[in-house]
Amino acid sequence: MPRERSSAMALSLLYQDEWIVAVNKPAGLLVHRSWLDKAETRFAMQMTRDLMGGRHVYPVHRLDRPTSGVLLFALDPTVARALTEAFAARQVHKEYLALVRGWAPAQGVIDYPLKEQLDKIADAMSDPDRPAQDAVTTFRRLHQVELPYAVSKKHPTSRYSLVKLFPKTGRKHQLRRHMDHLFHPIVGDTTHGDGRHNRFFREHYGCERLLLVAHTLSFNHPILKVPMRIRAPLGQDVLALFAALGWPASESDY
């Protein structure tokens, strides 16, 4: 899948106070510098620091490179520790939107342990024999559609669903692997998805990205002690795609 260069990407501010900052990370942008792509020169962490006038920011969670949406940073090391502990203790509520192949069930729970996926360079020191870790995702279907296109030779039409995903754990590539396990891979996933459907969305809708959005983060503010709910806009490209599929095309519908 062609990859949009991060130099052309815009990272927008969603929330800022004295202690935390949240941004809307575009699809295709790395969170921080990685040995996996030495040629890349722009990262969400550096771009957020630039938005803050050069102030240091501390990452407290991660998003896969192809995933867009809410990315939270701390502006203080003590706050960073508190937020990192909140994520680890599953005290942060995460909501994602994903467009998947097939008609997904109306709702359900995916309780499927995941073996750690190791990168040859980044995880060179990790234990390859580590047992699978518990991984739980709940989901709810929002919309579905049947299109008059034979993407697969087995079927004269093609079906897709829009689902809301609620990861209860934070394993690597958890949502992408869980939806693949459910036989409803996320469209645009070049690692765990279906290449035929990825190609169809590229050619028919001009969609060059993974259709997975980290839509909402909800947590208690570590300093102010008030409930926080930070939401990322889906953006006009995603909403236009939803409209083309016959689904609601306003941010307020999601």
Side-chain angles (χ1 to χ4, degrees):
M1 181 174 71
R3 192 177 70 210
E4 184 182 9
R5 298 303 300 170
S6 63
S7 59
M9 296 177 186
L11 182 147
S12 57
L13 186 66
L14 297 175
Y15 176 83
Q16 177 192 354
D17 63 26
E18 227 180 299
W19 304 278
I20 63 176
V21 58
V23 296
N24 184 18
K25 186 188 85 68
L29 182 67
L30 284 166
V31 172
H32 48 69
R33 190 177 301 277
S34 172
W35 286 103
L36 301 178
D37 194 339
K38 296 180 182 179
E40 189 55 86
T41 59
R42 303 197 75 194
F43 315 93
M45 188 171 173
Q46 180 62 53
M47 294 167 74
T48 303
R49 183 183 301 173
D50 293 343
L51 283 177
M52 297 295 100
R55 185 175 178 182
H56 190 76
V57 299
Y58 301 81
V60 296
H61 70 125
R62 64 175 183 265
L63 290 179
D64 291 346
R65 181 176 194 156
T67 304
S68 66
V70 184
L71 183 62
L72 184 66
F73 294 95
L75 297 173
D76 172 273
T78 302
V79 173
R81 283 193 296 272
L83 286 171
T84 300
E85 290 170 1
F87 274 96
R90 305 181 187 178
Q91 295 170 350
V92 178
H93 180 71
K94 296 170 281 187
E95 299 179 18
Y96 288 71
L97 282 177
L99 197 158
V100 304
R101 184 194 70 190
W103 281 4
Q107 58 185 13
V109 178
I110 308 169
D111 188 349
Y112 179 67
L114 294 172
K115 183 81 172 174
E116 187 175 13
Q117 289 188 327
L118 303 178
D119 296 313
K120 291 182 180 179
I121 299 175
D123 299 317
M125 303 303 292
S126 298
D127 180 6
D129 299 319
R130 185 177 179 182
Q133 299 171 292
D134 67 304
V136 179
T137 303
T138 64
F139 68 90
R140 175 165 51 89
R141 189 186 67 225
L142 301 180
H143 300 291
Q144 58 187 26
V145 66
E146 185 167 12
L147 301 178
Y149 299 100
V151 176
S152 167
K153 294 180 180 180
K154 295 181 180 179
H155 307 286
T157 61
S158 297
R159 294 176 171 183
Y160 302 95
S161 300
L162 183 67
V163 294
K164 184 167 281 193
L165 303 172
F166 310 94
K168 304 304 179 184
T169 51
R171 307 306 176 200
K172 189 174 183 179
H173 299 173
Q174 176 174 316
L175 299 181
R176 297 158 65 182
R177 297 170 70 187
H178 268 180
M179 294 314 296
D180 183 37
H181 173 72
L182 201 63
F183 300 106
H184 294 290
I186 300 173
V187 173
D189 191 339
T190 58
T191 304
H192 307 285
D194 187 319
R196 296 166 301 178
H197 294 270
N198 295 348
R199 185 166 54 253
F200 170 70
F201 269 75
R202 286 199 303 271
E203 295 174 352
H204 197 80
Y205 296 107
C207 181
E208 301 280 353
R209 58 160 293 176
L210 172 72
L211 288 169
L212 177 65
V213 179
H215 199 212
T216 305
L217 274 184
S218 300
F219 56 96
N220 284 323
H221 195 291
I223 302 299
L224 301 178
K225 307 301 181 184
V226 296
M228 302 290 297
R229 181 175 172 83
I230 302 175
R231 172 170 289 200
L234 297 175
Q236 287 306 306
D237 288 350
V238 172
L239 291 174
L241 173 60
F242 289 176
L245 296 175
W247 299 338
S250 171
E251 293 283 358
S252 61
D253 293 314
Y254 300 97

